[in-house]
């Protein structure tokens, strides 16, 4: 969710104070951006979680340093415009890095506007991205206003390497997000479904089963319209494969709920049989009961087989997806250190 | 549903624990002021309401107090509001002193009146109050009213003595049995009085509780006071013996025992033929003679239940809508089964699934019992395996229960979205949500309702109607769209800090069932008072009975809230016109419904008069209007039923029944009844001729 913008590159046309203020701030901004690119690079190209965490921490420290430095940069003619905008922006970057979203967006409003935790997550993601985007735009517009006010001429230079890297990270993330969302919906529903299966809750399981099926079908339909990222179909393929799994699983879960209804029926029968002495002595009834026991045992065997099959299929699917994401990011996120 | 919680009351001039009554009365008003969803001011009109409701309980036929005595009490009653706010009991003390004396005098007067044989030749009537006038004095000399009351009781006793196939009281029959009938009435009256007089403490407590309940119900009919003892009864609902048949009983103000609960999974539940509000009038144990129990005390009835342990008993039941029927039950231990809802197949073209749900039961805090939404879901899974073309969910006689269960059940049919809105005491509104995404059943659906479908049933029907997910068939529902919470009756009660489980631990507390919320439909309208109006109307006996929310004087009025909920209704698949055409062609030409409508019309006329004729010839005609036609209808139904479908078990149930002969016998009985059910027949025809056709 984290994207960082950079000030428009400035060519100094005047040598007086307003420019020096702008430059000093820009130096801090660049330092933060560089740390961000390094952090993203490690996430994309390394399996080392500790290393990634270390880079995150370094970026955090950089943000803190930037905020401290900002306090030391004097205002030009008491004008706080730039300081305020940059300060606010840094605060948001910090919250975002710490996943402290409650300080960025109105969580209560999100809870009210979204129907369930899945929608809440998606809405949160949207709102945080939107917040960062707007903060970036504001920073840019304040900078322009500042320049205009003090007659500083902004010249659009060729993009710096850092700018290009930031843009690339943003573009790749957006593409990955789009596909992740398709996967995410099914993944959440299946998680809920597994929980309800654990509780032998047929009502919830059956509802979620139908939901899983329709999300997987909807996902497949979206995938049909999506192209690879610059010719790279890794994510589309992996996502399509996961949709195939979810469709298949949605059908297979019916075996479990079917089993629960049979199990309830058998328990009723068992109670009746065990509570009735005459029935236990009756050969025909005994045969029927033993037959029911055998059927029940067969049912349990099938249940276990299906369960093993789905567990294996699920973990393969999720591994495949995770690997695909990894490969994709490795291929497209710029390397930086 | 006014009910008297304790039957055994005893008379004493001494007043027991008045100080605490005053506190309790005050606490009721304090809690209601804070947490009732629409609290009313404790003023003179409140006092009048409490007085009427109290009098309606302690002298329901206005036969004990003379007009003068009543007027004096009415004058004293003006101070009830001050009694409540100042924590005094002036009025209660006044009335308690008198009540013992008037009851004592009344029993002597009744004995004297019953000592001479009655004649039923004069064109006289026994007049009763309408529900709206409950508690008002009927302007007739007290002794004359008392005699009329006794004549009515004797006529009822004579009718009970009639052979099963007869409803007509001939002069010869009356002549022959009048002595027996009068003695039976006298004995019941003496027995009740003896119980009343035997324990002065209990008597005083009964008056206190009746007074406190009159205060509670002045807020609305569903706000009720429970003493600790009554609370236990409310929770258990059943005595240990009747429990074995699976129903709970409570006496009403006439001393008749009404069924107040049906235990999920019990013999009564499985019969699908015992409903809340039914009255047991006779029982016939296998191989024994019929015993009339219309006037039995709970103790006598329990003794009978005990005596006929392990026997199959045929109960004669009088329903709240006036019809009578015989239900055969075998006493059996209630098992903690995993599923107590049964699904059936109405086999033919089309092939339909049928599920009847008598109440929205839920698992208790202790984890006992099952969730009805889960049970219904499981049956639907079974029925889907049977490849049904449509589904019928029968909520007739379903008086409600857990709103959470109703919401969970709606989830079966609704993918995602709001299911209704609750407005609570603070004025805050909150949507009720479908917790799980997805649906289990998406095909053609009919929900059957009648005048006894209330509360959670109405919410379910209303929501499915608003989403156009189901066609609602039957008659307008009861009209209760409020939610109650049981809280301890204590000073400075704070609901926000209240943990419901604590009520179990404190055995000395009293409780208040208080109406804390109002329920609204997803469109902001309410079913309160108006009920849910079905899409397809089928006449019902309930239409003649004064048995709706709005018949209560203190019922909360219907209102609406402005909400904009993101619910997506299906497009209107069937037009109003199609349904009207079906009513005109199919229902209007069904001889059973023609007869039923006629009976209902006659009943409405007699009910509106609020009087029972006491002249024998007129009484016989009235009886005929009241019940006769319905009995004819019932017998006509049994003989002429040409069912367009056969009823079958699901494969899983059939496999089970192969090993449980009692269940099989019970199922056969239910299947026969489903074949003969005139309402279900129309529902089937609706599927066949309208719903499935349009769907194709």
């Amino acid at each position: 969710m984290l994207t960082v913008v950079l000030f428009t590159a400035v060519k100094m046309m005047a040598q007086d104070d307003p420019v020096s203020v702008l430059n000093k701030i820009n130096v801090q901004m660049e330092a933060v951006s560089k740390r961000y690119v390094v952090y993203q690079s490690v996430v994309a190209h390394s399996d080392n979680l500790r290393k990634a965490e270390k880079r995150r921490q370094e970026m955090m420290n950089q943000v803190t340093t930037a905020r401290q430095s900002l306090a030391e940069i004097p205002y030009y003619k008491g004008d706080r415009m730039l300081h305020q905008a940059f300060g606010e922006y840094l605060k948001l970057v910090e919250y975002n890095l710490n996943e402290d979203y409650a300080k960025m967006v109105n969580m209560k409003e999100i809870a009210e506007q979204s129907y369930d935790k899945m929608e809440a997550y998606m809405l949160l993601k949207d709102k945080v991205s939107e917040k960062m985007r707007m903060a970036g735009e504001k920073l840019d517009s304040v900078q322009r206003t500042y320049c205009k006010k003090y007659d500083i001429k902004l010249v659009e230079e060729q993009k710096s390497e850092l700018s290009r890297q930031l843009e690339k990270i943003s573009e790749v993330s957006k593409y990955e997000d789009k596909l992740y969302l398709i996967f995410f919906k099914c993944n959440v529903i299946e998680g809920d479904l597994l929980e309800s299966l654990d509780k032998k809750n047929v009502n919830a399981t059956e509802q979620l089963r139908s939901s899983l099926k329709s999300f997987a079908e909807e996902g497949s339909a979206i995938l049909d319209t999506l192209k690879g990222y610059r010719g790279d179909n890794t994510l589309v393929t992996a996502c399509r494969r996961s949709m195939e799994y979810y469709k298949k699983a949605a059908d297979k879960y019916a075996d479990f709920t079917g089993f629960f209804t049979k199990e309830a029926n058998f328990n009723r029968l068992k109670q009746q049989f065990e509570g009735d002495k005459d029935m236990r002595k009756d050969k025909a009834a005994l045969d029927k009961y033993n037959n029911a026991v055998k059927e029940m045992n067969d049912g349990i065997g099938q249940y276990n087989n299906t369960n093993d099959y789905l567990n294996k299929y699920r973990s393969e699917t999720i591994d495949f997806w995770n690997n695909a994401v990894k490969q994709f990011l490795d291929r497209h996120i710029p390397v930086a250190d | 549903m006014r009910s008297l919680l304790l039957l055994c009351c005893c008379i004493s001039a001494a007043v027991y624990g008045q100080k605490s009554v005053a506190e309790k009365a005050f606490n009721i008003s304090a809690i209601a002021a804070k947490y009732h969803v629409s609290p009313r001011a404790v003023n003179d009109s409140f006092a009048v309401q409490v007085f009427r409701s109290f009098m309606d309980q302690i002298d329901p036929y206005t036969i004990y107090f003379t007009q003068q005595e009543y007027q004096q009490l009415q004058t004293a009653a003006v101070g009830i509001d001050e009694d409540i706010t100042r924590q005094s009991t002036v009025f209660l003390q006044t009335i308690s002193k008198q009540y013992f004396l008037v009851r004592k005098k009344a029993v002597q007067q009744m004995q004297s009146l019953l000592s001479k044989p009655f004649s039923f030749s004069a064109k006289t009537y026994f007049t009763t109050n309408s529900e709206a006038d409950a508690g008002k004095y009927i302007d007739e000399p007290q002794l004359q009213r008392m005699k009329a009351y006794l004549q009515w009781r004797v006529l009822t006793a004579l009718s009970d003595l009639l052979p099963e196939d007869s409803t007509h009281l001939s002069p010869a029959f009356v002549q022959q049995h009048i002595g027996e009938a009068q003695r039976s009435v006298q004995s019941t009256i003496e027995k009740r009085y003896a119980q009343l007089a035997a324990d002065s403490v209990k008597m005083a407590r009964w008056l206190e509780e009746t007074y406190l309940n009159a205060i509670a119900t002045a807020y609305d009919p569903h706000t009720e006071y429970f003493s600790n003892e009554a609370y236990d009864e409310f929770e258990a609902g059943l005595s240990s013996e009747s429990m074995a048949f699976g129903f709970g009983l409570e006496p009403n103000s006439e001393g008749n025992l009404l069924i107040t609960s049906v235990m999920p999974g019990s013999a009564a539940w499985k019969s699908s033929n015992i409903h809340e509000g039914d009255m047991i009038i006779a029982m016939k144990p296998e191989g024994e003679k019929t015993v009339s129990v219309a006037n039995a005390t709970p103790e006598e009835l329990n003794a009978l239940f005990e005596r006929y342990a392990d026997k199959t008993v045929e109960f004669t039941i009088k329903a709240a809508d006036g019809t009578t029927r015989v239900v055969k039950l075998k006493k059996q231990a209630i098992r903690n089964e995993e599923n107590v809802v049964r699904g059936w197949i109405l086999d033919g073209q089309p092939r339909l699934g049928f599920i009847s749900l008598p109440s929205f039961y839920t698992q208790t805090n202790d984890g006992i019992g099952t969730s009805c939404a889960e049970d219904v879901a499981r049956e639907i899974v079974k029925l889907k395996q049977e490849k049904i073309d449509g589904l019928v969910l029968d909520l007739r006689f379903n008086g409600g229960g857990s709103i959470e269960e109703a919401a969970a059940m709606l989830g079966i049919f609704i993918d995602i979205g709001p299911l209704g809105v609750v407005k609570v005491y603070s004025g805050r509104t909150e949507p009720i949500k479908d917790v799980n995404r997805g649906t289990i059943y998406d095909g053609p659906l009919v929900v059957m309702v009648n005048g006894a479908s209330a509360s959670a049933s109405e919410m379910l029907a209303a929501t499915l109607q608003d989403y156009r997910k189901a066609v609602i068939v039957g008659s307008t529902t009861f009209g209760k769209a409020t939610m109650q919470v049981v809280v301890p009756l204590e000073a400075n009660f704070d609901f926000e800090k209240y943990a419901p489980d604590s009520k179990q631990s404190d055995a000395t507390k009293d409780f208040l069932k208080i109406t804390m919320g109002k329920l609204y439909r997803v469109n902001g309208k309410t079913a309160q008072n108006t009920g849910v109006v079905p899409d397809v109307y089928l006449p019902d006996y309930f239409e003649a009975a004064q048995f709706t929310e709005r018949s209560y004087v203190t019922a909360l009025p219907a209102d609406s809230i402005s909400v904009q909920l993101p619910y997506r209704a299906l497009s209107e698949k069937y037009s109003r016109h199609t349904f009207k055409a079906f009513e005109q062609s199919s229902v209007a030409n069904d001889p059973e419904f023609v007869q039923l409508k006629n009976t209902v019309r006659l009943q409405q006329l007699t009910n509106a008069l609020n009087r029972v004729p006491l002249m024998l010839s007129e009484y016989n005609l009235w009886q005929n209007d009241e019940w006769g036609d319905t009995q004819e209808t019932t017998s006509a139904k049994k003989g002429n039923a040409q069912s367009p479908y056969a009823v079958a078990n699901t494969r899983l149930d059939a496999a089970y029944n192969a090993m449980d002969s009692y269940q099989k016998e019970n199922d056969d009985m239910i299947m026969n009844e489903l074949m003969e059910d005139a309402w279900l027949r129309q529902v089937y025809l609706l599927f066949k001729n309208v719903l499935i056709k349009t769907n194709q």
Side-chain angles (χ1 to χ4, degrees):
Chain A
M1 257 184 247
L2 185 67
T3 47
V4 171
V5 295
L6 202 60
F7 276 127
T8 313
V10 173
K11 192 173 184 186
M12 283 169 286
M13 297 297 288
Q15 297 298 317
D16 58 0
D17 279 334
V19 176
S20 118
V21 170
L22 186 57
N23 273 338
K24 280 175 187 162
I25 288 180
N26 219 349
V27 167
Q28 295 306 320
M29 186 70 195
E30 248 187 57
V32 170
S33 299
K34 269 184 191 157
R35 290 287 178 193
Y36 170 69
V37 171
V38 171
Y39 169 45
Q40 288 299 306
S41 170
V42 170
V43 170
H45 305 295
S46 158
D47 284 335
N48 193 334
L49 289 176
R50 272 176 55 203
K51 198 171 162 192
E53 174 52 27
K54 204 173 156 212
R55 295 288 173 268
R56 194 188 71 87
Q57 201 53 55
E58 281 169 6
M59 184 178 168
M60 268 306 301
N61 295 342
Q62 192 61 57
V63 171
T64 313
T65 310
R67 288 178 71 175
Q68 284 162 354
S69 309
L70 186 67
E72 285 159 19
I73 301 171
Y75 306 124
Y76 176 67
K77 290 186 179 169
D79 192 338
R80 300 171 176 220
M81 187 197 294
L82 273 182
H83 288 71
Q84 270 173 357
F86 186 48
E88 273 163 33
Y89 185 76
L90 283 178
K91 237 194 282 177
L92 287 180
V93 171
E94 187 183 311
Y95 296 152
N96 202 351
L97 261 182
N98 286 332
E99 298 182 357
D100 200 352
Y101 304 126
K103 288 183 179 149
M104 298 178 75
V105 291
N106 187 341
M107 297 297 261
K108 194 169 167 255
E109 200 180 280
I110 287 179
E112 279 168 5
Q113 284 175 5
S114 47
Y115 191 80
D116 55 11
K117 62 178 184 198
M118 180 203 284
E119 263 190 27
Y121 174 82
M122 284 164 19
L123 194 60
L124 174 70
K125 206 173 151 81
D126 281 354
K127 292 226 165 176
V128 168
S129 301
E130 178 66 8
K131 186 98 185 175
M132 290 308 296
R133 191 184 61 78
M134 281 174 58
E137 273 176 11
K138 190 175 174 203
L139 204 53
D140 192 55
S141 108
V142 166
Q143 187 196 10
R144 284 173 196 279
T145 312
Y146 180 85
C147 291
K148 200 172 172 193
K149 191 171 172 189
Y150 299 111
D151 204 21
I152 304 168
K153 205 168 185 184
L154 281 172
V155 175
E156 306 286 336
E157 272 192 336
Q158 256 200 333
K159 274 179 189 162
S160 69
E161 179 59 17
L162 186 58
S163 279
R164 268 198 298 275
Q165 283 175 330
L166 285 171
E167 268 172 25
K168 180 80 176 168
I169 290 172
S170 161
E171 186 185 285
V172 172
S173 304
K174 262 186 206 153
Y175 180 83
E176 188 224 335
D177 262 6
K178 210 187 297 176
L179 282 139
Y180 175 70
L181 211 60
I182 298 172
F183 172 83
F184 166 79
K185 284 183 184 173
C186 292
N187 186 258
V188 168
I189 293 288
E190 198 195 27
D192 290 349
L193 189 150
L194 290 171
E195 241 175 70
S196 64
L197 262 183
D198 257 0
K199 294 178 193 148
K200 293 193 176 181
N201 184 333
V202 172
N203 188 7
T205 307
E206 279 292 303
Q207 287 186 53
L208 292 164
R209 199 170 73 75
S210 85
S211 197
L212 182 60
K213 180 116 180 170
S214 61
F215 275 133
E217 278 165 357
E218 191 186 291
S220 293
I222 297 172
L223 286 170
D224 287 344
T225 66
L226 278 184
K227 286 182 184 151
Y229 176 74
R230 295 177 188 256
D232 181 352
N233 283 316
T234 316
L235 283 189
V236 174
T237 308
C239 199
R240 187 168 283 132
R241 206 166 139 166
S242 64
M243 291 305 112
E244 291 312 311
Y245 160 72
Y246 287 121
K247 276 189 262 181
K248 177 98 181 173
D251 289 338
K252 274 281 173 199
Y253 284 124
D255 294 356
F256 294 159
T257 48
F259 173 79
F260 292 150
T261 58
K262 280 184 191 145
E263 188 190 33
N265 213 46
F266 174 76
N267 289 342
R268 200 152 61 116
L269 198 99
K270 189 168 169 244
Q271 223 174 12
Q272 168 72 12
F273 186 78
E274 287 173 354
D276 190 333
K277 271 188 229 154
D278 296 339
M279 204 185 264
R280 290 204 300 271
K281 287 178 201 152
D282 176 359
K283 173 81 173 65
L286 189 68
D287 286 347
K288 271 187 198 162
Y289 179 70
N290 284 336
N291 205 27
V293 173
K294 191 182 167 298
E295 269 180 33
M296 195 62 209
N297 283 333
D298 290 348
I300 292 170
Q302 275 167 18
Y303 184 101
N304 290 336
N305 287 342
T306 309
N307 199 23
D308 290 346
Y309 166 77
L310 282 177
N311 282 343
K312 197 162 162 255
Y313 194 175
R314 183 184 319 110
S315 72
E316 277 172 13
T317 306
I318 292 173
D319 284 351
F320 191 82
W321 166 258
N322 284 337
N323 280 332
V325 171
K326 192 146 185 41
Q327 277 173 28
F328 176 80
L329 295 179
D330 194 21
R331 226 172 275 151
H332 300 289
I333 294 284
V335 181
D337 48 30
Chain B
M1 273 177 275
R2 285 170 296 132
S3 61
L4 216 103
L5 293 168
L6 289 172
L7 182 75
C8 313
C9 43
C10 312
I11 297 170
S12 166
V15 181
Y16 172 82
Q18 292 294 6
K19 188 165 175 260
S20 75
V21 181
E23 275 176 16
K24 287 174 191 174
F26 177 78
N27 288 345
I28 292 175
S29 69
I31 294 177
K34 215 166 155 190
Y35 298 114
H36 193 279
V37 69
S38 40
R40 58 183 288 190
V42 179
N43 52 19
D44 285 352
S45 86
F46 186 87
V48 170
Q49 182 51 49
V50 173
F51 172 69
R52 292 247 178 95
S53 160
F54 186 56
M55 292 306 281
D56 185 43
Q57 290 296 321
I58 67 168
D59 189 8
Y61 297 111
T62 67
I63 51 174
Y64 300 138
F65 292 104
T66 63
Q67 190 161 18
Q68 199 191 353
E69 286 163 340
Y70 182 93
Q71 275 162 357
Q72 281 166 358
L73 288 170
Q74 199 171 22
T75 310
V78 176
I80 289 177
D81 51 336
E82 283 170 19
D83 275 357
I84 296 170
T85 48
R86 291 184 192 160
Q87 301 202 29
S88 60
T89 51
V90 179
F91 172 74
L92 183 61
Q93 287 187 49
T94 312
I95 204 163
S96 298
K97 279 176 200 155
Q98 280 191 43
Y99 194 61
F100 166 70
L101 299 171
V102 297
R103 287 300 298 264
K104 192 174 177 185
K105 192 179 78 189
V107 80
Q108 288 161 353
Q109 288 169 329
M110 288 185 188
Q111 279 165 336
S112 151
L113 287 166
L114 283 163
S115 65
K116 289 166 220 134
F118 286 161
S119 132
F120 301 100
S121 53
K123 195 176 169 60
T124 53
Y125 298 91
F126 175 59
T127 318
T128 53
N129 269 328
S130 68
E131 195 70 44
D133 288 335
K136 280 189 187 164
Y137 199 82
I138 296 171
D139 193 9
E140 286 166 357
Q142 183 237 353
L143 260 181
Q144 185 187 315
R145 272 197 68 67
M146 186 182 274
K147 186 175 177 192
Y149 166 76
L150 291 172
Q151 282 181 302
W152 168 54
R153 292 283 303 263
V154 170
L155 282 169
T156 312
L158 281 164
S159 297
D160 282 347
L161 292 171
L162 279 170
E164 258 172 46
D165 54 346
S166 168
T167 56
H168 186 83
L169 286 173
S170 68
F173 184 87
V174 173
Q175 182 74 29
Q176 195 187 340
H177 294 281
I178 186 80
E180 186 186 347
Q182 288 194 200
R183 274 194 302 280
S184 134
V185 170
Q186 184 166 344
S187 132
T188 310
I189 287 166
E190 285 168 356
K191 208 160 55 184
R192 294 261 158 83
Y193 176 73
Q195 280 181 338
L196 208 71
D199 187 340
S200 60
V201 175
K202 252 188 171 180
M203 160 71 192
R205 197 178 295 157
W206 175 71
L207 282 174
E208 282 173 19
E209 285 172 7
T210 308
Y211 172 69
L212 292 170
N213 200 39
I215 294 172
T217 52
Y219 288 94
D220 77 290
H222 310 289
T223 293
E224 286 176 73
Y225 160 80
F226 292 114
S227 67
N228 189 259
E229 198 177 332
Y231 178 74
D232 286 345
E233 281 175 26
F234 170 75
E235 279 285 276
L238 302 158
S239 81
S240 60
E241 287 309 321
S242 60
M243 194 167 184
F245 288 107
F247 47 76
L249 295 163
E250 257 182 47
N252 66 1
S253 54
E254 289 167 44
N256 299 124
L257 292 169
L258 295 188
I259 290 173
T260 51
S261 58
V262 180
M263 178 102 170
S266 65
W269 174 281
K270 283 178 186 165
S271 77
S272 290
N273 221 347
I274 302 262
H275 312 298
E276 285 175 23
D278 284 349
M279 188 168 103
I280 301 180
I281 54 177
M283 52 191 277
K284 184 187 176 307
E286 205 173 11
E288 308 257 348
K289 277 172 66 178
T290 305
V291 193
S292 166
V293 292
N295 291 316
T297 62
E299 293 76 18
E300 286 168 342
L301 206 56
N302 272 338
L304 284 173
F305 289 157
E306 207 161 334
R307 191 177 329 147
Y308 299 119
D310 302 327
K311 284 213 169 180
T312 300
V313 178
E314 281 179 11
F315 288 93
T316 308
I317 302 286
K318 193 172 194 171
D321 64 10
T323 53
T324 54
R325 61 183 183 277
V326 175
V327 183
K328 207 169 162 187
L329 298 179
K330 186 182 172 187
K331 200 166 127 174
Q332 59 170 187
I334 297 161
R335 301 180 197 148
N336 194 7
E337 284 181 359
E338 287 180 42
N339 189 352
V340 293
V341 173
R342 298 291 300 281
W344 307 89
I345 298 160
L346 309 181
D347 205 6
Q349 283 295 339
R351 186 172 157 88
L352 303 182
F354 174 83
I355 294 172
S356 161
L357 186 75
S359 77
F360 286 88
Y361 58 86
T362 190
Q363 207 167 37
T364 63
N365 290 340
D366 320 327
I368 295 166
T370 53
S371 129
C372 66
E374 172 66 8
D375 289 348
V376 166
R378 283 173 179 239
E379 284 310 296
I380 291 177
V381 169
K382 276 155 76 175
L383 288 168
K384 274 170 76 180
Q385 287 166 354
E386 302 281 347
K387 308 269 179 265
I388 51 168
D389 305 312
L391 179 68
V392 184
L393 181 62
D394 183 2
L395 299 181
R396 288 175 295 170
F397 302 102
N398 184 325
S402 159
I403 293 287
E404 285 81 7
E405 289 293 339
M409 205 174 294
L410 279 164
I412 294 175
F413 309 105
I414 288 170
D415 181 6
I416 183 174
L419 307 173
V421 185
V422 184
K423 183 178 174 186
V424 290
Y425 56 88
S426 57
R428 190 165 45 91
T429 57
E430 241 174 57
I432 302 170
K433 285 180 175 179
D434 175 9
V435 195
N436 294 305
R437 283 171 182 267
T439 53
I440 300 181
Y441 182 79
D442 207 15
L445 173 68
V446 160
V447 174
M448 292 175 78
V449 293
N450 66 8
S453 308
S455 201
S457 296
E458 296 179 282
M459 175 190 146
L460 190 119
T463 309
L464 290 175
Q465 191 175 47
D466 290 340
Y467 272 83
R468 298 200 192 104
K469 277 274 177 184
V471 178
I472 313 301
V473 180
S475 51
T476 301
T477 59
F478 186 81
K480 175 183 178 281
T482 52
M483 284 170 78
Q484 285 72 32
V485 178
V486 178
V487 300
L489 186 61
E490 53 194 26
N492 306 317
F493 171 75
D494 186 348
F495 184 68
E496 306 297 333
K497 291 180 188 156
Y498 172 58
D501 283 347
S502 63
K503 68 176 175 243
Q504 308 290 343
S505 58
D506 194 341
T508 60
K509 275 182 190 154
D510 292 351
F511 294 92
L512 186 66
K513 176 157 76 81
I514 180 169
T515 300
M516 273 196 191
K518 289 184 187 176
L519 275 170
Y520 296 88
R521 304 170 72 134
V522 280
N523 56 20
K525 292 179 182 161
T526 180
Q528 176 65 16
N529 279 351
T530 55
V532 177
V533 180
D535 301 309
V536 176
Y537 164 71
L538 298 178
D540 203 279
Y541 293 114
F542 272 103
E543 290 165 75
Q546 292 178 342
F547 184 71
T548 58
E549 177 80 358
R550 61 178 175 279
S551 68
Y552 293 108
V553 187
T554 58
L556 298 181
D559 58 2
S560 61
I561 51 169
S562 160
V563 282
Q564 283 205 315
L565 292 174
Y567 81 97
R568 287 189 295 272
L570 291 176
S571 60
E572 191 108 46
K573 211 188 288 176
Y574 322 105
S575 69
R576 305 282 109 191
H577 175 75
T578 321
F579 292 144
K580 272 275 159 283
F582 175 78
E583 283 170 13
Q584 279 156 10
S585 64
S586 189
V587 186
N589 291 325
D590 185 325
E592 273 179 51
F593 283 104
V594 173
Q595 201 168 14
L596 191 151
K597 274 188 111 159
N598 214 16
T599 310
V600 166
R601 194 177 48 79
L602 287 169
Q603 279 187 23
Q604 277 168 335
L605 288 175
T606 52
N607 285 351
L609 293 172
N610 289 308
R611 63 180 197 186
V612 184
L614 300 171
M615 191 166 79
L616 194 60
S617 53
E618 217 179 314
Y619 179 80
N620 275 324
L621 276 176
W622 176 83
Q623 273 276 73
N624 205 42
D625 290 349
E626 214 31 21
W627 324 119
D629 278 0
T630 56
Q631 276 165 359
E632 277 167 34
T633 312
T634 313
S635 52
K637 197 166 78 176
K638 304 260 176 208
N640 302 329
Q642 280 181 338
S643 183
Y645 51 84
V647 183
N649 276 119
T650 59
R651 267 169 296 170
L652 274 175
D653 286 337
Y656 174 79
N657 284 357
M659 291 197 66
D660 186 343
S661 57
Y662 174 68
Q663 181 72 49
K664 175 149 194 338
E665 196 186 322
N666 196 43
D667 276 12
D668 289 346
M669 209 164 67
I670 295 175
M671 291 199 265
N672 271 333
E673 265 153 24
L674 291 181
M675 298 252 291
E676 287 164 359
D677 187 327
W679 290 266
L680 188 55
R681 186 166 65 237
Q682 287 301 334
V683 166
Y684 188 87
L685 292 173
L686 180 71
F687 268 104
K688 191 182 173 79
N689 299 329
V690 182
L691 306 186
I692 302 271
K693 228 183 200 173
T694 317
N695 239 27
Q696 282 163 353

